[in-house]
Amino acid sequence: MIDKRLLGQLDVKLVALVITLIAIGIINLYSATVNLAGVGLPFYQRQLWWLGIGVVIGLLVFLVDYHYFEEFAYPFYFLSLLCIVCVLIYGMVVGGAQRWIKIGLFTFQPSELMKIALIFVLAHHFAKYTGRDGYRLRDLLIPAIITIIPVGLIAKQPDLGTALVLFFVFLSTVIFVKIRFRSLLILLMVVILATPFFWAGLKDYQRTRILTFLNPNMDPLGAGYHIIQSKIAVGSGGIWGKGYLHGTQCKLQFLPEHHTDFVFAVLGEEWGFVGCGVVLALYLTLILWGLNTSVRAKDRYGALLAFGITAMLFFHVVVNVGMVLGIMPVVGLPLPFLSYGGSSIIVTLMGIGILLNVRARRYMF
Amino acid sequence: MDIRRREPEEFKARYKYLVFAAVVVFLIIFVRLWYLQVIKEHEFRLLSENNRIRLRKISAVRGMIMDRKGRILADNRPSFNVMVMPEDVDDLQGLTKRLSRFLHLSASKIEGKIRDRNRPPFQPIKIKGDISWREMSLLKTNRLDLPGVQISIEPIRTYPHGKVAAHILGYVGEIDKEELKSKKGYKMGDCVGKCGVEWAWEGHLRGIDGGRQVEVDAVGKEVRVLREVPPIPGHNLYLTIDLDLQRYAEKLLSERAGAIIAMDPTTGEILAFCSSPSFQPSLFAKGISVKEWEELVSSPLHPLQNRGIQGLYPPGSVFKIVTAAAGLEEGVITPRTILYCSGIYHVGRRGYQCWRRGGHGAVDLHRGLVESCDIFFYQVGERLGVEKLSRYAEGFGLGRPTGIDLKGEKSGLIPTAEWKKDRLGEPWYAGETVSMAIGQGYLLVTPLQLLNLISSIANGGRVLKPQIAKRVEDVDGNVLEEYRPKQIGRLPISQRTLNEIKEALVDVVRDKRGTGRAARLAGVEIAGKTGTAQVIRLRGTGRRLKPEEVPYEWRDHAWFVAYAPASDPEIAVVVLIEHGGHGGAAAAPIAGKMIKKYLDLKQGGG
């Protein structure tokens, strides 16, 4: 199961990239929360604890050959589904949304786990098929059902962001495995036609958020105000930024979630265009590295795993940064490595573990 | 070789497109970043200094509270508040000096408020609320010397009838730290219902605050309004209270401590709810001063207490209704059972007296209730035992809140042997059962519980939830909620028992020897029951003292519960006069007047 040659195959460059992003995340989080009174440990220290847990989990995921995970794909998926249902029924109500489940001292969001579970199940499903000239729509029925069930349940919680991540993972995987052009067109039509029903099923505040994104004037006191303040924070950073710990905008509570979803605004204000550019370049490198890992994987299953993880990371980064910069709706997705939050860190590092796993076993039989 | 081995090659075809797509998306983000941070840098930097874009709250107007006929009980008027934004102030000392002169506040007090550490940054602080026109014009003329000072206009709660129905209406005040933690969607400085219906219907009355996104200059003056969301006014609440009857009840009590509550026994709607002494609810809306608060709290008569639901008293002889019902239902007496009253009754070595020294002689249930013979009920109680008595007391709705939608309703107390063992570590004595049978001892009830009890008798045994609100309407008059009668239980007695009791209650008022004859009215038959609740057992003289001969706080509480017309009840009343003496003398006439007023109003008002 664990090969001695494995360590030799560890992708040091990817590890270095991840460590760099983690370090930037902690440094930035320290600044973001320096004025924020919390209960118990300071936020950055709590984040360090989560990182510790995440690294251990990521390492375990790396060490076990990813082929062993394949048979656990469905059990893992149904377990996550069960947890989500439990959250809907028993979960504690936090901020009006039922996302958390409490196990002892920890609260975690099973919807985060579902991201990984769905990637495993989809990879497992598409790895078996070897059709040459692309998938037809009827071949997509099962994966679509597999995706829609958790998407619906999570959107009901309501956690729009995570539901969109799952949907994006499904959509990009379908494109990746090659779908017939005609089928793709029909699929797009279906999505467009389903939009009104999706719209009708949204909660009022979610609709407001999307409408606010399209027209921030609609809610100038809520989301519209956040977008403006976030733009002011980033914009006032200028080329070189106001300097580390010298940001004013973000620390003054104008951005209510400046240590979680809006943490990029802190970076933008203090490190300016240069800092943001570097961090975005690092993210882009990570995404391209992930795609590269995918096409160079030993087999279809590995390629699909790596691709799913990459798609998930890509969506998180693009939607979160786009939101902070005012070009994406305020859907509430954390920025990998930078946002505060245990569930996000653990899932991100699990993903990195999978990428390293697939990459390390390229040449191994 | 693994058949899957060859497969990944086919992904290569799409690899380059995916790389291209990812790079393009990131390029868009880079361009956006460039636009915000390089092209627009100057503009955003200006906006970020002093946080030039601010949110100003526009408070929603709180919904009005009306009586059942639409007469206003709680309203709003504009008030002017002096606010300071410390971030806009350069010379704090100079400012506090000037402000203290204009506003007649000590400079140290103003400085203390401005230096509050718990304040979130860029939140204005209220220095003085509801300032006078004189103060306002002083501030306006000296505006240029007062950087960072704003005058905000806020609606403030007023109660046009002063103290009338204060305990029902409750009051509003600034939200405190505890409430901020437990309630969602509130900010510091928000106004919130603290008790009464202002508290209970807070969600409806509150409305939704609007706001203005404004751009300000370096001293905090508004340069322009960027965006504005108008506030949505709160909903209007119609109570079941009749203002005329309410005012009359308050007049009847004047400043005497006590409570009068009237209810429609067929629906459970409260028609008047008066707890005395009362207070000015508008004091709290302004922000009550320490001195005013201490005056209210230290007053020996506790004006803030809502005696109707929070005052606990022994029910006295009113409880004989329960004892009578239990006796009939359990078969320990029949309507024809005759018991003898000699004026004193011995349980063990102790003698228990009847209120009438000479005794009533041979007494049946009817006469026992009409003349409120203690010894008759001592014996019924003794035959029943404490467990059965307390079970029936529970069945009559005592010992638990009635469920009225007001804050802080007390349960009262029905003692049992078990309770006494737990609480006092002592066994139950037979003499205590005897006391309990006439509503003394550990028994404690609220006036509203007794009203609900008599109301259930009046309406044929249905226990209703006392309703205080009739309906909620939005500003345009659309009815959002309508409160219907709600039955929450049934008296645990048969129709025959009920009729037996009702007949006796009529004679309490009608019979020339009835204890409640002072409530008698011409032209309408009233049923009722008196109660005289002992506060302290007076020893020594053996003579029954007149109220005036006893120190105030030792005098008995006077009770009267009644309903009318006896054949087809429309109104039920409870009157409690704290330390008022005999129920028949102090409380019964008041109940009679209330019923008369109700009937007059009905005729006059159509």
Side-chain angles (χ1 to χ4, degrees):
Chain A
M1 216 163 108
I2 296 168
D3 201 299
K4 276 181 195 158
R5 291 172 293 169
L6 193 60
L7 281 179
Q9 298 293 337
L10 180 66
D11 185 346
V12 184
K13 286 174 197 157
L14 181 56
V15 171
L17 181 61
V18 166
I19 288 173
T20 311
L21 279 167
I22 287 176
I24 291 171
I26 286 292
I27 290 167
N28 190 49
L29 188 68
Y30 176 79
S31 173
T33 57
V34 71
N35 286 351
L36 204 67
V39 201
L41 283 177
F43 281 98
Y44 77 95
Q45 282 186 25
R46 274 191 263 174
Q47 183 85 338
L48 280 172
W49 278 107
W50 284 117
L51 278 166
I53 297 169
V55 166
V56 171
I57 292 176
L59 202 63
L60 287 175
V61 169
F62 165 68
L63 288 175
V64 182
D65 189 332
Y66 63 89
H67 294 98
Y68 285 95
F69 293 136
E70 195 165 358
E71 36 187 311
F72 296 108
Y74 273 107
F76 186 29
Y77 171 81
F78 284 115
L79 187 73
S80 303
L81 208 57
L82 191 74
C83 285
I84 290 169
V85 173
C86 284
V87 166
L88 269 179
I89 299 168
Y90 301 107
M92 47 196 263
V93 177
V94 181
Q98 297 173 311
R99 298 177 190 172
W100 284 264
I101 203 164
K102 213 169 177 158
I103 297 176
L105 290 171
F106 291 93
T107 55
F108 88 104
Q109 301 182 28
S111 53
E112 295 285 336
L113 229 47
M114 182 46 94
K115 294 177 189 166
I116 300 288
L118 185 74
I119 290 168
F120 271 108
V121 171
L122 288 180
H124 172 66
H125 184 87
F126 285 114
K128 278 190 294 199
Y129 190 76
T130 51
R132 277 260 138 205
D133 35 329
Y135 285 82
R136 291 160 303 173
L137 263 190
R138 77 189 71 148
D139 303 320
L140 297 181
L141 189 65
I142 291 171
I145 291 171
I146 286 170
T147 309
I148 287 300
I149 294 171
V151 166
L153 288 173
I154 291 169
K156 204 174 163 57
Q157 283 181 357
D159 181 357
L160 192 58
T162 305
L164 286 174
V165 171
L166 297 185
F167 192 70
F168 180 79
V169 166
F170 167 75
L171 208 64
S172 50
T173 303
V174 164
I175 293 169
F176 186 60
V177 296
K178 192 173 180 190
I179 179 172
R180 285 184 185 174
F181 187 65
R182 219 180 48 159
S183 303
L184 185 65
L185 279 186
I186 296 173
L187 193 67
L188 285 176
M189 285 293 286
V190 168
V191 169
I192 290 165
L193 287 177
T195 307
F197 294 98
F198 176 68
W199 185 253
L202 288 179
K203 296 255 165 166
D204 272 348
Y205 86 89
Q206 293 170 326
R207 278 184 225 171
T208 321
R209 277 186 180 181
I210 293 172
L211 287 174
T212 317
F213 159 65
L214 298 172
N215 176 15
N217 289 313
M218 280 198 52
D219 182 20
L221 310 182
Y225 185 66
H226 295 173
I227 290 176
I228 285 199
Q229 292 298 345
S230 145
K231 277 177 6 192
I232 291 174
V234 174
S236 66
I239 298 176
W240 299 102
K242 294 178 184 170
Y244 186 55
L245 296 175
H246 284 85
T248 53
Q249 201 67 13
C250 294
K251 302 214 180 81
L252 296 177
Q253 302 196 359
F254 302 122
L255 278 172
E257 299 185 37
H258 64 253
H259 61 300
T260 56
D261 292 353
F262 279 94
V263 80
F264 191 75
V266 179
L267 187 85
E269 188 180 13
E270 297 188 347
W271 298 90
F273 181 70
V274 175
C276 288
V278 168
V279 170
L280 281 176
L282 289 175
Y283 277 121
L284 181 60
T285 311
L286 179 67
I287 300 301
L288 296 181
W289 208 258
L291 285 177
N292 186 267
T293 304
S294 171
V295 297
R296 292 169 71 182
K298 186 174 68 173
D299 50 23
R300 236 178 122 83
Y301 177 61
L304 284 162
L305 273 187
F307 180 79
I309 297 295
T310 310
M312 174 184 88
L313 291 174
F314 174 80
F315 193 74
H316 272 265
V317 172
V318 169
V319 172
N320 180 285
V321 174
M323 168 185 82
V324 171
L325 301 185
I327 50 173
M328 280 276 175
V330 184
V331 287
L333 277 180
L335 184 59
F337 304 111
L338 262 69
S339 285
Y340 171 78
S343 307
S344 164
I345 289 173
I346 287 174
V347 168
T348 306
L349 288 174
M350 273 172 91
I352 298 299
I354 292 167
L355 280 184
L356 288 171
N357 194 335
V358 173
R359 200 163 183 93
R361 289 181 176 81
R362 270 184 299 177
Y363 306 118
M364 293 164 77
F365 292 96
Chain B
M1 205 177 191
D2 190 345
I3 184 109
R4 291 159 161 190
R5 178 72 187 89
R6 210 161 35 90
E7 246 32 82
E9 298 298 319
E10 68 152 308
F11 293 136
K12 288 227 163 98
R14 282 174 301 285
Y15 174 56
K16 50 178 188 274
Y17 294 114
L18 289 169
V19 168
F20 180 71
V23 171
V24 167
V25 169
F26 271 79
L27 264 181
I28 293 171
I29 293 177
F30 270 110
V31 169
R32 175 69 177 177
L33 209 55
W34 175 266
Y35 171 78
L36 289 179
Q37 295 194 304
V38 180
I39 298 176
K40 289 271 191 175
E41 182 201 349
H42 185 68
E43 189 180 311
F44 283 125
R45 183 152 292 208
L46 263 183
L47 289 173
S48 85
E49 280 161 20
N50 289 324
N51 185 38
R52 288 290 178 78
I53 293 187
R54 295 181 190 168
L55 275 187
R56 299 242 161 112
K57 184 173 90 170
I58 310 176
S59 300
V61 176
R62 204 172 165 82
M64 292 195 287
I65 303 175
M66 257 78 79
D67 86 334
R68 64 188 296 128
K69 292 173 182 159
R71 288 168 292 193
I72 295 171
L73 301 176
D75 199 356
N76 307 285
R77 66 173 168 81
S79 74
F80 301 93
N81 306 308
V82 184
M83 315 290 282
V84 167
M85 179 79 95
E87 277 81 358
D88 296 335
V89 179
D90 288 332
D91 172 19
L92 190 65
Q93 294 231 304
L95 182 79
T96 47
K97 224 155 103 195
R98 264 163 286 169
L99 271 181
S100 85
R101 209 170 59 231
F102 294 143
L103 299 174
H104 310 290
L105 281 174
S106 73
S108 60
K109 205 169 165 185
I110 296 176
E111 217 173 309
K113 279 187 177 176
I114 295 179
R115 288 188 191 278
D116 179 12
R117 294 199 162 272
N118 293 322
R119 181 190 72 105
F122 286 100
Q123 283 290 313
I125 301 162
K126 191 194 271 187
I127 300 297
K128 192 174 181 184
D130 200 21
I131 55 170
S132 66
W133 279 102
R134 230 183 74 80
E135 289 167 322
M136 165 102 152
S137 52
L138 263 172
L139 291 179
K140 282 266 176 197
T141 44
N142 293 287
R143 202 174 45 201
L144 291 177
D145 297 332
L146 299 166
V149 175
Q150 309 154 15
I151 293 173
S152 73
I153 308 173
E154 298 249 348
I156 190 172
R157 203 60 156 166
T158 59
Y159 301 90
H161 301 286
K163 291 182 169 184
V164 170
H167 292 97
I168 282 292
L169 295 170
Y171 51 86
V172 297
E174 202 176 311
I175 192 162
D176 62 39
K177 295 212 167 81
E178 306 261 300
E179 291 166 322
L180 262 180
K181 264 184 228 159
S182 59
K183 291 182 178 223
K184 285 214 148 77
Y186 285 85
K187 285 200 280 290
M188 236 171 94
D190 280 356
C191 176
V192 63
K194 298 278 186 178
C195 65
V197 296
E198 294 272 28
W199 170 82
W201 272 267
E202 167 72 13
H204 274 299
L205 291 169
R206 186 185 172 212
I208 301 170
D209 287 341
R212 247 195 319 259
Q213 233 184 60
V214 295
E215 198 180 320
V216 296
D217 64 11
V219 291
K221 231 172 74 206
E222 259 173 52
V223 180
R224 62 195 168 112
V225 176
L226 299 174
R227 279 151 201 178
E228 188 169 325
V229 176
I232 300 169
H235 303 140
N236 294 330
L237 175 66
Y238 287 80
L239 298 183
T240 56
I241 300 288
D242 182 317
L243 179 61
D244 296 316
L245 198 61
Q246 176 75 28
R247 294 172 95 155
Y248 187 70
E250 309 213 351
K251 213 177 83 192
L252 286 175
L253 275 182
S254 61
E255 282 300 297
R256 264 186 298 175
I260 300 178
I261 317 175
M263 178 192 259
D264 180 342
T266 59
T267 59
E269 287 182 2
I270 303 278
L271 301 171
F273 193 124
C274 166
S275 170
S276 177
S278 190
F279 59 93
Q280 290 284 357
S282 52
L283 283 182
F284 294 87
K286 271 193 203 183
I288 189 166
S289 72
V290 179
K291 205 178 118 218
E292 288 165 331
W293 173 252
E294 266 166 10
E295 233 165 69
L296 277 176
V297 176
S298 61
S299 160
L301 292 180
H302 306 294
L304 287 178
Q305 187 195 32
N306 184 348
R307 288 175 161 73
I309 56 170
Q310 294 172 327
L312 293 175
Y313 313 89
S317 300
V318 177
F319 191 75
K320 286 172 185 166
I321 296 172
V322 178
T323 309
L328 288 173
E329 286 297 313
E330 293 295 314
V332 300
I333 51 164
T334 71
R336 272 160 297 284
T337 305
I338 307 275
L339 300 172
Y340 190 74
C341 166
S342 66
I344 189 151
Y345 184 71
H346 289 275
V347 179
R349 276 180 302 162
R350 244 191 93 170
Y352 289 82
Q353 293 171 342
C354 184
W355 65 268
R356 189 191 227 179
R357 300 324 317 275
H360 290 87
V363 182
D364 63 0
L365 178 75
H366 189 87
R367 214 180 134 216
L369 276 172
V370 170
E371 297 182 29
S372 206
C373 172
D374 290 337
I375 287 177
F376 180 88
F377 287 98
Y378 288 153
Q379 297 176 63
V380 178
E382 205 175 22
R383 291 179 186 189
L384 281 165
V386 55
E387 295 311 321
K388 279 181 184 155
L389 256 185
S390 50
R391 213 172 65 223
Y392 276 86
E394 257 169 55
F396 276 76
L398 306 181
R400 64 185 137 86
T402 62
I404 192 171
D405 296 308
L406 292 175
K407 196 178 182 179
E409 187 182 8
K410 294 255 168 80
S411 302
L413 177 66
I414 306 172
T416 59
E418 206 183 325
W419 167 83
K420 197 184 170 198
K421 189 107 191 92
D422 279 359
R423 204 47 202 281
L424 305 172
E426 283 174 31
W428 186 267
Y429 299 116
E432 290 170 327
T433 311
V434 161
S435 291
M436 184 172 162
I438 61 154
Q440 292 294 151
Y442 301 109
L443 260 177
L444 288 173
V445 301
T446 66
L448 187 63
Q449 284 173 333
L450 284 195
L451 176 64
N452 229 21
L453 185 153
I454 195 70
S455 171
S456 308
I457 301 267
N459 69 28
R462 289 181 300 138
V463 182
L464 300 171
K465 177 187 168 184
Q467 303 270 15
I468 189 76
K470 247 187 135 47
R471 63 178 185 279
V472 176
E473 285 181 1
D474 68 10
V475 218
D476 303 321
N478 301 313
V479 177
L480 300 176
E481 262 183 87
E482 191 130 38
Y483 301 97
R484 309 225 162 265
K486 200 168 145 202
Q487 187 174 339
I488 50 174
R490 257 205 99 74
L491 295 185
I493 57 174
S494 69
Q495 208 56 43
R496 266 180 53 199
T497 302
L498 192 66
N499 288 338
E500 203 65 49
I501 289 169
K502 282 173 115 174
E503 275 166 36
L505 295 185
V506 169
D507 276 341
V508 168
V509 180
R510 184 171 57 187
D511 195 289
K512 64 179 190 298
R513 276 181 298 182
T515 51
R517 61 195 177 278
R520 209 180 299 167
L521 285 183
V524 61
E525 195 130 69
I526 296 177
K529 182 72 196 81
T530 53
T532 305
Q534 275 185 1
V535 176
I536 191 163
R537 187 182 297 276
L538 293 174
R539 295 167 189 281
T541 62
R543 188 171 63 90
R544 204 170 169 96
L545 296 166
K546 291 195 172 121
E548 304 79 58
E549 297 173 307
V550 181
Y552 176 78
E553 63 270 25
W554 288 2
R555 290 180 204 162
D556 299 339
H557 299 311
W559 281 108
F560 195 69
V561 295
Y563 61 87
S567 51
D568 183 17
E570 293 172 25
I571 180 171
V573 184
V574 61
V575 175
L576 165 80
I577 309 290
E578 259 181 37
H579 307 295
H582 302 280
I590 292 180
K593 284 178 187 161
M594 278 296 285
I595 290 168
K596 181 164 188 322
K597 179 75 178 174
Y598 167 80
L599 295 169
D600 288 350
L601 283 170
K602 206 177 90 173
Q603 295 227 298

